[in-house]
Amino acid sequence: MSLLTHLLSCLFGLGSWVSINGLWVELPLLVPQIPEGWYLPSYLSVLIQMANVGPLFVTLMHRFRPGVLNEVAVVYAVIAVGTVASFLLGFFWKETVVVGGARRSVALLVLTFFLATVDCTSSVTFLPFMMRLQPRYLTSYFVGEGVSGLLPAVVALIQGVGVVRCINGTQLLNRTSNATTFDLQAQYQPANFSAEEFFFFLSAMMLVCLLAFLLLNHHPSVARQNPSRSYTNGVKQEAQRGRKWAEQKPMMEPCGQRKPRSSFGSGSYSWLQVSYILGLLAWANALTNVVLPSVQSYSCLPYGNNAYHLSASLAAVSNPLACFIAMFLPN
C-alpha cells in the first residue's frame, strides 16, 4: 500500500463537495448582507437539486453514447469550473441587481448553481476514475469526501461567523414626559476574516484537488499500483479489464431467473432487494441534501445564530468520522 496514493486519493476526494459544504457553513455571515436573508438556505436547496442536470447528462451520455465522454477530461473540466466559480464568488457574492422590482443576489445564486453542478457531477465522475485504482484506496477517497465538509467547518469556526450580541436601543416617545422605551437590537460582530477570503480558501482547496488529480494520473508510483493502466506494446490490456468487469458484473446487476431469492451479501440481488436498497438511498439523500439543510435555519432560529452555526459546522464531523471507523471496522 502506498501512503502517497492514499494521501492523493484523500486530497482528490476533498474537492468533491468542499464548495457547497463551505457555502452552507458560511451562511451566518452571508445572510445579514444579502437581500434574500434567511430564505437563502431554501434557495440553495432548490439550486442544488437543479444542478443534478450535470450527473444526469453524464449518465445519459454513458448510456446512449458510450465512449464519447473522456472521463479524465470531464474531471479536469469539473475541477476547473469549481475553482473559477469559487474564485469569482470572492468578488461578486455581494453584488445585487433589480429583478421583478426587488434586489436579488443574482451573481451569488448563479455561481452557486455552477458550484452545485460541479459537486453533483463529481459523484458520477470522480468515483469511476477511482475504480482505476485498487479498491483499498476508495476508503481514502471517501475520507477526503468527508473532510470536504469538516475542513470548511473548522475554518468557519476559526473565522467566528455569525457571532451576534444584543445591545439596548433607546427610542424617545414623548418629549414632554420624557417617556422612553428600551428595546434590544442585534449587533453582528466582525469575523476574524472576511467572506471573500473564505471563498478564496475554497478556491485554493479546489486547486489542491486538481494537483492531486494530476499526480494520480501521472506519478510513477501510482501507475505501478494500477494494473488496469499497464501497456503492452502500446496497447492497453483490455482483456484483463474485461475479465475484472466480468467478475464484478454479477455484483452490480440484479439477478434474473438464476437466483430469484438470493440474500444480501451474496453478490447478486433480486429486484425487490434492489428496490429496497435504492429506496433507502433516495430517502437518506433526500433528508441529508434537501430536507434538513433547507429547514435548519428555521429550526435553529429560536436559539440564535450561534446554535445554527455550531449545528451546521459540527454536523460535518459525522461524515469523516464514519469513514475513519469504516477503515478499521469494515462491515
Side-chain angles (χ1 to χ4, degrees), residues 233-250:
N233 296 327
V235 180
K236 203 172 210 178
Q237 295 180 343
E238 295 291 346
Q240 184 178 11
R241 297 184 64 187
R243 177 172 55 83
K244 290 185 176 181
W245 170 251
E247 294 172 354
Q248 296 173 358
K249 190 175 181 181

Side-chain angles (χ1 to χ4, degrees), residues 150-264:
L150 174 63
L151 189 58
V154 171
V155 174
L157 288 173
I158 298 173
Q159 185 185 19
V161 301
V163 178
V164 63
R165 70 173 183 175
C166 294
I167 60 174
N168 285 328
T170 303
Q171 183 179 7
L172 187 63
L173 290 182
N174 193 327
R175 294 181 180 275
T176 304
S177 61
N178 291 327
T180 58
T181 59
F182 297 91
D183 61 342
L184 294 177
Q185 297 178 353
Q187 184 181 64
Y188 287 89
Q189 303 301 301
N192 295 324
F193 52 90
S194 65
E196 290 82 359
E197 293 172 299
F198 184 83
F199 287 129
F200 293 150
F201 161 76
L202 295 181
S203 181
M205 291 298 97
M206 293 300 297
L207 287 176
V208 170
C209 173
L210 177 61
L211 179 60
F213 183 62
L214 283 169
L215 293 177
L216 284 173
N217 271 293
H218 302 292
H219 199 280
S221 66
V222 178
R224 283 195 298 269
Q225 300 186 53
N226 190 355
S228 65
R229 296 177 63 183
S230 59
Y231 288 81
T232 302
N233 296 327
V235 180
K236 203 172 210 178
Q237 295 180 343
E238 295 291 346
Q240 184 178 11
R241 297 184 64 187
R243 177 172 55 83
K244 290 185 176 181
W245 170 251
E247 294 172 354
Q248 296 173 358
K249 190 175 181 181
M251 295 186 292
M252 302 177 65
E253 291 186 350
C255 66
Q257 300 178 354
R258 194 173 43 144
K259 292 183 180 181
R261 295 183 180 180
S262 59
S263 60
F264 286 101

Side-chain angles (χ1 to χ4, degrees), residues 308-330:
Y308 172 77
H309 173 52
L310 290 174
S311 65
S313 301
L314 298 179
V317 178
S318 60
N319 193 314
L321 178 61
C323 292
F324 275 116
I325 293 175
M327 291 183 69
F328 303 104
L329 297 173

Side-chain angles (χ1 to χ4, degrees), residues 70-125:
N70 185 313
E71 63 182 21
V72 175
V74 172
V75 173
Y76 277 123
V78 165
I79 300 176
V81 172
T83 303
V84 173
S86 300
F87 187 75
L88 291 178
L89 268 177
F91 294 101
F92 300 109
W93 70 272
K94 287 194 294 187
E95 300 297 325
T96 60
V97 295
V98 178
V99 178
R103 289 208 162 269
R104 302 292 180 186
S105 304
V106 175
L108 174 63
L109 297 177
V110 170
L111 291 173
T112 297
F113 173 76
F114 280 106
L115 288 179
T117 304
V118 166
D119 292 354
C120 291
T121 308
S122 69
S123 300
V124 294
T125 54

